[in-house]
Amino acid sequence: MNTATHAEGRHEMTKPFTTAAVVGAGTIGLSWAALFAGHGLRVRVTDPRPDLTEAVAEALDRAAGQLAAQGLDTHGLAERVHIADDLADAVRDADIVQENGPENADFKRELFTTLVSAAPAHALLLSSSSAIPATAFTDTIEEAGRILIGHPFNPPHLVPLVEVVPGERTSQESVARAVDFYRSVGRVPVVERKEIPGFVGNRLQNALSREAIYLVEQGVVSPAELDTVMVNSLGLRWATVGPFLGAHLGGGPGGYRHMAEHIGVSMQQMWDSLGRPEQGRPEQGPEQTERLVAAVEDAYGSRSYADLSQERDAKQLAVLSARDSATSLEKETRS
């Protein structure tokens, strides 16, 4: 269905969002729980993992300072997050349900069939699916109108983007409410007009990853050197303006048209030279995977996951803060 105008205009919510259920408490689910609680929602978490209570406590403790750095009041954060007895208990009075289960269509089909019956009739049923479109697992579900994708980037309590992707039978009302909800918790929702496996963000990430792997495989750069190239050039540029505006500005006063006319031929030649299997780059197999793992571990294996992720999160917060400050200054200058 056409979703181009779903989020246009101001949507009048019929019920405020006060309670969220987080189904699945892996890395993404725990981050969602922290974000929702940081914005004052009551949160119920369910997951079969035996260490759920400890995992939730550790995640909230780790996220508290990062949420505070975003201007949120984290006093009583842990008191707003409750461990549910089971799935039915988690969703019984939820306004939204954020599912974070395995990337498996059959699993999601069974789970959402249960959620439709167990959650209140007004509750939005959102999936963090990173590749599987909603239509792929709602084909046998009668009440599919309130089921859609709300795909974040890791970790969602820091990275603002949420890809809102309706299925073929998702209602316009649900899309508009999902946009309202994600905005209410400080995220930046983008409604995608068509379903496509992997959605937009992961497809871009995978396209870039394929060329990055090719360049490392060909011995052009090491993994650490490629990362250095990205964070000191395209990563910096794209964090502020994105690829299309970056190219438009790269064309000078003539804009994107000048860019396309000036380097169109060489751009096509470069596209033709990108790493593909028929050019000698092997498909992703055990040998290639092992070489890449060894190269990445050689670059970063001496530091713990906790150390590396803490540094990443601090840098991401700094980028967001600087970007927000620049945006505020620009608005003041214009007014």
Side-chain angles (χ1 to χ4, degrees):
M1 70 183 187
N2 185 352
T3 63
T5 61
H6 287 172
E8 291 179 6
R10 179 64 191 157
H11 174 68
E12 192 68 31
M13 291 184 292
T14 57
K15 183 176 177 62
F17 300 106
T18 60
T19 303
V22 174
V23 178
T27 302
I28 299 296
L30 291 171
S31 181
W32 275 130
L35 176 72
F36 297 161
H39 281 270
L41 276 72
R42 294 191 302 270
V43 183
R44 299 184 191 277
V45 182
T46 182
D47 191 288
R49 61 187 294 176
D51 65 338
L52 179 58
T53 300
E54 295 81 3
V56 168
E58 290 174 8
L60 294 177
D61 183 61
R62 189 166 54 248
Q66 298 167 344
L67 294 170
Q70 298 176 66
L72 299 177
D73 181 5
T74 56
H75 178 71
L77 184 69
E79 297 170 9
R80 294 193 286 274
V81 181
H82 307 277
I83 306 301
D85 295 332
D86 51 31
L87 181 63
D89 180 44
V91 305
R92 58 185 167 85
D93 58 354
D95 300 308
I96 74 102
V97 177
Q98 186 79 45
E99 173 269 333
N100 313 279
E103 283 291 301
N104 179 291
D106 291 335
F107 173 88
K108 292 185 186 297
R109 184 179 296 108
E110 182 177 350
L111 176 60
F112 276 88
T113 299
T114 302
L115 290 175
V116 163
S117 300
H122 74 275
L124 278 174
L125 306 179
L126 302 156
S127 175
S128 296
S129 170
S130 60
I132 304 172
T135 299
F137 60 83
T138 58
D139 50 343
T140 61
I141 299 177
E142 218 171 288
E143 292 184 50
R146 55 188 173 131
I147 302 173
L148 66 164
I149 303 300
H151 172 238
F153 266 62
N154 184 33
H157 73 280
L158 292 182
V159 183
L161 176 70
V162 181
E163 296 179 281
V164 175
V165 191
E168 290 178 359
R169 291 185 292 142
T170 303
S171 71
Q172 293 187 13
E173 170 76 5
S174 294
V175 175
R177 290 187 68 223
V179 168
D180 276 340
F181 170 68
Y182 286 125
R183 284 179 178 161
S184 77
V185 292
R187 301 306 85 187
V188 178
V190 173
V191 178
E192 296 177 8
R193 291 169 172 79
K194 293 182 179 180
E195 289 184 296
I196 188 168
F199 317 122
V200 174
N202 275 339
R203 291 181 71 89
L204 291 172
Q205 181 171 248
N206 278 281
L208 183 59
S209 292
R210 187 171 85 163
E211 183 62 17
I213 290 169
Y214 175 74
L215 292 169
V216 170
E217 278 280 284
Q218 294 298 305
V220 178
V221 286
S222 70
E225 289 165 342
L226 190 135
D227 285 348
T228 298
V229 169
M230 280 299 302
V231 300
N232 288 283
S233 59
L234 295 178
L236 177 65
R237 179 182 296 166
W238 290 350
T240 56
V241 295
F244 281 114
L245 179 52
H248 183 60
L249 295 172
Y256 194 86
R257 179 179 299 279
H258 177 73
M259 171 71 76
E261 292 173 349
H262 185 61
I263 66 168
V265 174
S266 60
M267 188 181 295
Q268 182 63 56
Q269 291 172 343
M270 196 173 300
W271 286 348
D272 293 340
S273 74
L274 294 176
R276 297 190 301 273
E278 62 268 25
Q279 293 180 311
R281 184 181 68 79
E283 295 285 0
Q284 189 83 0
E287 289 185 13
Q288 185 195 40
T289 298
E290 187 54 40
R291 287 196 301 271
L292 286 167
V293 168
V296 173
E297 288 181 344
D298 181 60
Y300 301 117
S302 62
R303 299 178 63 189
S304 69
Y305 168 78
D307 183 30
L308 288 169
S309 60
Q310 185 176 17
E311 182 178 304
R312 174 203 64 190
D313 294 346
K315 288 179 177 179
Q316 288 182 160
L317 276 171
V319 169
L320 288 170
S321 177
R323 195 176 65 178
D324 290 345
S325 296
T327 301
S328 298
L329 181 62
E330 180 187 11
K331 288 180 179 178
E332 289 176 10
T333 304
R334 287 181 176 180
S335 61

